[in-house]
Amino acid sequence: MCTKWMDDPEIQRFREYLKIPSVHPDIDYDDCVAFLMKQALELDLPIAVYEVVPSKPVVVITWAGTEPNLPSILLNSHMDVVPIYEEHWTHPPFAATLTEDGFIFARGTQDMKGIGMMHLEAVRRLKSAAVRLKRTVHISFVPDEEIGGVVGMKSFTETEDFKSLNVGFCLDESMPCDDNAIYAFNGERTNREIKVTCRGTPMHGAELLPGTAGEKLHFIIDKFMKFREEERKKVAAGTPLGEVTTVNLTQVEGGVQINVIPENLSVSFDIRVAPERDHDEFEEMITRWCKEAGEGVTFEYFVKNPLVKSTRTDESVPFWAALKETVEHMGIELRCIICPGATDARYVRRRGIPAIGFSPISSTPMLLHAHDERIHVKVFKRGIDVMEKTVLAVANV
Ligand code: ZN
């Protein structure tokens, strides 16, 4: 156990938050809410707890700006963390062990209690330095991001309470970077899950007639796989994953008996459509494939998320310029990419609000959802430095 950083109050508060096992499934958020209440009390800031869905609290701590009518800044993080396989951890995942060489081991250090604490600590530092910001800053802590955010951020963004926060710009999560850079996510791909059903005439397994469900299924899988291969080549040539459309075959169903040619067979695909691809055209292409495959081939959606426009990184979003300048001024590269996965930022963007995923964790291996998730004390402290300057800049735009 390391003693050097033990008395650092920023580290103490971080470790206290990490020790709350807000881990899926069936999370009890009471301890998180109590912890945040205590933080708000110490900061002398008002706190609101919204329960759009029972037992799924959304906590908002507010620091009013000198011009409170201006659109506000939202610093968003999620309180939940993904499950652990404790036997694979060097230190218990909810003990927040601080090692002699300065690492804090805990689930949530990177994803994303660490970022939530950077938001709070940045405001704490600014406030104790008697700084006043032009725009109001809201620090939100939401539930259930890791299981899709439907009962968390999605529901909250659909309320009048959210509207009344008058958000003009939002910072959410990105991911750690293993060199001296910070990842910024300005957009996400669109999740589409589809099932293609191929129907044909059932017949005896000894026949050799055309129009079987199997032939049609083969045609469909072939089309999807050829498309997949083209996208895979782009990734192999260096295109970031977030900028290509991924297609993965995840389920095959059908058949009754080995000597009976079945009436139907179906195949399901997990698809993530890149923001730059025309979503309507993509759907038309699948419709065309189904037609070409023969009679009785149809598809249905299990998930059909709407296209969400990426946040622009030009002069139309002055907050972006403020963020970029701040980070680069600190000698750190801001690397803007499309998020390969999904975050709560999409629900904010859906409301037409610019949102950037921003996790200031540099020179750190990516351990989101991994065993031995950890962060170095110096990286965390540096993250607060970056966040402090960032909040100062964007709230004064
Ligand atoms: Zn996360």
Side-chain angles (χ1 to χ4, degrees):
M1 188 62 90
C2 177
T3 46
K4 193 167 139 208
W5 302 95
M6 272 311 203
D7 303 328
D8 183 311
E10 289 177 341
I11 300 300
Q12 275 176 352
R13 286 188 288 266
F14 182 28
R15 292 182 59 229
E16 189 182 339
Y17 188 31
L18 290 169
K19 284 178 188 173
I20 303 169
S22 50
V23 57
H24 286 286
D26 304 322
I27 300 171
D28 179 348
Y29 287 102
D30 287 356
D31 288 345
C32 287
V33 174
F35 171 79
L36 294 168
M37 292 266 195
K38 194 168 74 181
Q39 302 309 307
L41 193 70
E42 284 175 20
L43 286 162
D44 191 25
L45 291 176
I47 180 168
V49 181
Y50 304 97
E51 275 203 34
V52 190
V53 178
S55 308
K56 306 290 181 188
V58 170
V59 181
V60 181
I61 297 173
T62 298
W63 186 19
T66 55
E67 294 178 42
N69 292 328
L70 285 176
S72 65
I73 305 298
L74 179 67
L75 308 174
N76 182 58
S77 66
H78 59 82
M79 301 179 281
D80 57 321
V81 298
V82 294
I84 37 87
Y85 295 90
E86 190 149 1
E87 64 275 22
H88 293 284
W89 283 66
T90 313
H91 302 279
F94 297 102
T97 304
L98 180 52
T99 61
E100 202 55 55
D101 52 355
F103 281 97
I104 302 170
F105 281 70
R107 176 59 91 222
T109 44
Q110 298 188 2
D111 184 13
M112 70 173 294
K113 285 176 172 169
I115 315 305
M117 287 312 290
M118 287 176 198
H119 294 157
L120 272 179
E121 297 300 339
V123 164
R124 188 187 285 263
R125 284 190 194 173
L126 290 167
K127 223 175 156 274
S128 60
V131 171
R132 289 302 312 272
L133 301 172
K134 204 156 89 175
R135 292 173 192 269
T136 295
V137 173
H138 300 289
I139 316 171
S140 57
F141 296 84
V142 300
D144 287 14
E145 188 275 346
E146 296 289 4
I147 52 167
V150 173
V151 297
M153 197 51 154
K154 181 175 187 284
S155 307
F156 182 54
T157 54
E158 289 161 358
T159 63
E160 282 303 311
D161 288 319
F162 178 79
K163 217 171 169 183
S164 70
L165 297 182
N166 187 26
V167 179
F169 183 60
C170 170
L171 289 178
D172 202 287
E173 64 187 315
S174 63
M175 61 185 184
C177 188
D178 54 18
D179 53 29
N180 186 31
I182 294 171
Y183 279 118
F185 294 159
N186 71 314
E188 297 186 3
R189 298 183 295 177
T190 316
N191 193 9
R192 299 273 163 102
E193 291 172 10
I194 69 161
K195 178 174 170 174
V196 183
T197 302
C198 305
R199 294 184 187 281
T201 317
M203 55 185 103
H204 194 283
E207 297 275 6
L208 201 59
L209 294 167
T212 60
E215 289 166 286
K216 294 168 187 175
L217 183 82
H218 176 229
F219 182 91
I220 289 294
I221 292 177
D222 195 44
K223 285 288 183 191
F224 275 98
M225 287 303 165
K226 276 184 181 145
F227 177 89
R228 183 181 191 273
E229 184 56 18
E230 288 308 310
E231 297 297 283
R232 211 191 53 76
K233 276 184 200 157
K234 292 182 197 168
V235 175
T239 306
L241 190 59
E243 288 170 30
V244 301
T245 298
T246 49
V247 170
N248 284 298
L249 195 165
T250 50
Q251 281 180 313
V252 179
E253 294 160 273
V256 280
Q257 190 173 304
I258 208 152
N259 62 348
V260 175
I261 295 175
E263 194 271 332
N264 72 79
L265 291 168
S266 65
V267 57
S268 302
F269 297 95
D270 179 307
I271 303 169
R272 313 287 165 122
V273 190
E276 289 308 311
R277 186 173 284 277
D278 186 319
H279 285 45
D280 294 335
E281 241 171 51
F282 185 76
E283 183 175 297
E284 281 160 22
M285 182 177 72
I286 296 171
T287 308
R288 203 169 57 241
W289 288 347
C290 288
K291 230 171 158 180
E292 289 168 11
E295 218 159 284
V297 179
T298 53
F299 77 96
E300 60 184 313
Y301 284 103
F302 280 95
V303 171
K304 189 185 183 185
N305 281 331
L307 164 69
V308 181
K309 284 238 155 69
S310 298
T311 293
R312 301 184 67 125
T313 52
D314 57 23
E315 54 296 342
S316 69
V317 181
F319 302 104
W320 167 256
L323 170 69
K324 192 170 161 66
E325 200 189 298
T326 304
V327 172
E328 287 173 355
H329 201 254
M330 294 182 79
I332 306 165
E333 182 198 342
L334 189 62
R335 207 170 285 166
C336 186
I337 62 168
I338 296 293
C339 174
T343 74
D344 273 342
R346 70 186 182 281
Y347 301 122
V348 179
R349 291 192 192 106
R350 263 186 213 178
R351 301 279 129 191
I353 300 165
I356 297 289
F358 181 68
S359 295
I361 304 178
S362 307
S363 311
T364 297
M366 219 276 281
L367 292 170
L368 310 178
H369 302 193
H371 308 317
D372 274 347
E373 184 180 346
R374 61 191 178 274
I375 193 169
H376 198 276
V377 169
K378 284 181 187 165
V379 172
F380 175 69
K381 300 277 284 185
R382 175 84 169 146
I384 303 172
D385 296 344
V386 173
M387 199 61 83
E388 182 185 352
K389 292 196 162 64
T390 299
V391 172
L392 184 68
V394 297
N396 280 324
V397 162

